[in-house]
Amino acid sequence: MDIEPVNIFTVDLEDWYLTDDYLIDKSRFNEFERNLIQNTEIILELLKVSKNKATFFVLGKIAEMIPSLVNEIISEGHEIASHGYNHKLISAMSPEEFKIDIEKTNCAINDATGIFPVGYRAPYFVFLPWMIEILRENGLKYDSSINIRWLNKWKDVVNTVELGQTNNFSIFPIQNYNIFGMNIPNCGGGYFRLYPYKIFKALFDKSINPFGMRIFYIHPWDICNSLDKKQIKLLSRFKNFYNTSSTINKLERLMEDYRFNSFREYLEK
Ligand SMILES: [Zn+2]
């Protein structure tokens, strides 16, 4: 008998004005804060109505600047995990800088909520082998940064920390749909906006990571992006804005079609 896959819903809680990519004056943050809060509240409402649970990978900067939003997520029964402090690319950091980034994020989340996160997802789904030891040293228990198609590249490292659920540290890779040697992304974000819902669902149904999981991810800005279109290049415009108007309707359908858990619920089972 086939075992039913576990569906994990994740939100990367971030917005452009809180990242290193766009340096704007702090005094302008509240112009854009409302959009981030509204989008997050839409996701929270959809999760509530459909009785699903999620893991929110939160930027440390958001915990620092909008602690009420992070606490609202907790009060709805969802998990708060770490997405680093301000979405800096890990490959642009030294291990020492990464350690500081993780500590700073842990502190920001703890100051805002009284809890320390146990999960981590790197910005841009970057995975570097030396991350794991630093995450472990800082009390984190799992990572969901790696795309399954990179597993072979890091096979030796990943084997040493054991994939899946262990007592010490778990790595939960996001899946792709593999057909004729091609990896077709089907976890969420821009791809969720790009594909018609039925196609997304067909791809999502078919691909399961080695731990019997289907991992879905979304950003608040996949619902409505406050970035000024004119300031960015055409390709970025496509990546950031394409079909955002379809996101709410697709999320509603997705949440009806699947039972979603947070990583915390999965680990506690
Ligand atoms: Zn991110």
Side-chain angles (χ1 to χ4, degrees):
M1 197 177 74
D2 287 343
I3 296 169
E4 196 52 32
V6 178
N7 304 305
I8 307 283
F9 195 99
T10 68
V11 181
D12 291 358
L13 196 74
E14 63 192 47
D15 210 346
W16 64 272
Y17 68 95
L18 298 164
T19 70
D20 255 7
D21 302 338
Y22 302 92
L23 291 173
I24 63 160
D25 196 85
K26 265 192 179 182
S27 62
R28 294 191 61 207
F29 280 8
N30 51 9
E31 268 178 56
F32 310 108
E33 192 175 290
R34 195 61 233 152
N35 188 59
L36 168 64
I37 294 172
Q38 271 171 358
N39 292 336
T40 308
E41 284 179 341
I42 289 170
I43 296 172
L44 285 173
E45 185 60 23
L46 292 171
L47 287 165
K48 188 180 197 162
V49 168
S50 60
K51 298 189 172 64
N52 283 305
K53 290 287 182 274
T55 294
F56 285 71
F57 292 97
V58 176
L59 289 187
K61 212 162 173 177
I62 291 185
E64 225 168 66
M65 303 200 67
I66 327 174
S68 55
L69 183 64
V70 183
N71 282 303
E72 191 181 339
I73 294 166
I74 293 175
S75 71
E76 294 287 331
H78 305 296
E79 178 187 13
I80 293 294
S82 168
H83 196 35
Y85 185 71
N86 59 352
H87 217 264
K88 196 168 175 183
L89 190 63
I90 290 177
S91 44
M93 286 192 231
S94 66
E96 188 52 37
E97 286 168 328
F98 178 70
K99 186 171 175 273
I100 292 167
D101 189 88
I102 291 300
E103 287 168 355
K104 207 171 161 186
T105 312
N106 277 1
C107 281
I109 291 175
N110 187 256
D111 284 349
T113 66
I115 58 159
F116 282 108
V118 297
Y120 177 73
R121 173 173 289 156
Y124 311 102
F125 291 104
V126 168
F127 177 87
L128 292 169
W130 49 256
M131 286 162 46
I132 301 302
E133 209 39 51
I134 295 170
L135 292 173
R136 271 209 243 228
E137 283 165 12
N138 283 281
L140 288 121
K141 305 265 187 234
Y142 73 85
D143 174 86
S144 181
S145 304
I146 195 166
N147 186 305
I148 203 154
R149 70 174 185 266
W150 305 121
L151 270 186
N152 272 347
K153 188 176 169 191
W154 302 121
K155 207 167 60 198
D156 293 344
V157 181
V158 171
N159 282 344
T160 64
V161 289
E162 287 188 64
L163 281 164
Q165 191 173 353
T166 73
N167 288 330
N168 298 317
F169 198 89
S170 307
I171 293 182
F172 299 127
I174 60 162
Q175 71 282 353
N176 293 137
Y177 176 48
N178 191 290
I179 184 164
F180 306 127
M182 277 192 315
N183 283 299
I184 301 177
N186 66 327
C187 293
Y191 301 104
F192 185 60
R193 286 185 274 123
L194 180 68
Y195 304 137
Y197 180 73
K198 279 189 179 167
I199 298 202
F200 181 86
K201 186 177 183 305
L203 294 170
F204 194 64
D205 274 343
K206 284 196 175 74
S207 51
I208 300 163
N209 81 9
F211 319 105
M213 285 177 176
R214 294 188 195 104
I215 301 172
F216 177 80
Y217 76 92
I218 196 86
H219 310 95
W221 54 263
D222 283 312
I223 291 177
C224 175
N225 199 327
S226 62
L227 186 59
D228 185 351
K229 276 187 191 176
K230 287 177 236 138
Q231 283 181 2
I232 54 173
K233 289 184 185 141
L234 208 58
L235 181 63
S236 289
R237 235 184 270 181
F238 181 76
K239 276 197 210 157
N240 282 281
F241 292 94
Y242 181 76
N243 221 2
T244 44
S245 60
S246 73
T247 305
I248 296 177
N249 180 266
K250 285 177 181 171
L251 279 177
E252 261 178 337
R253 296 176 71 181
L254 185 81
M255 288 192 204
E256 270 172 28
D257 288 342
Y258 299 90
R259 287 295 90 215
F260 283 105
N261 301 278
S262 62
F263 278 117
R264 183 181 62 200
E265 284 179 306
Y266 173 83
L267 287 165
E268 282 169 359
K269 268 177 192 162

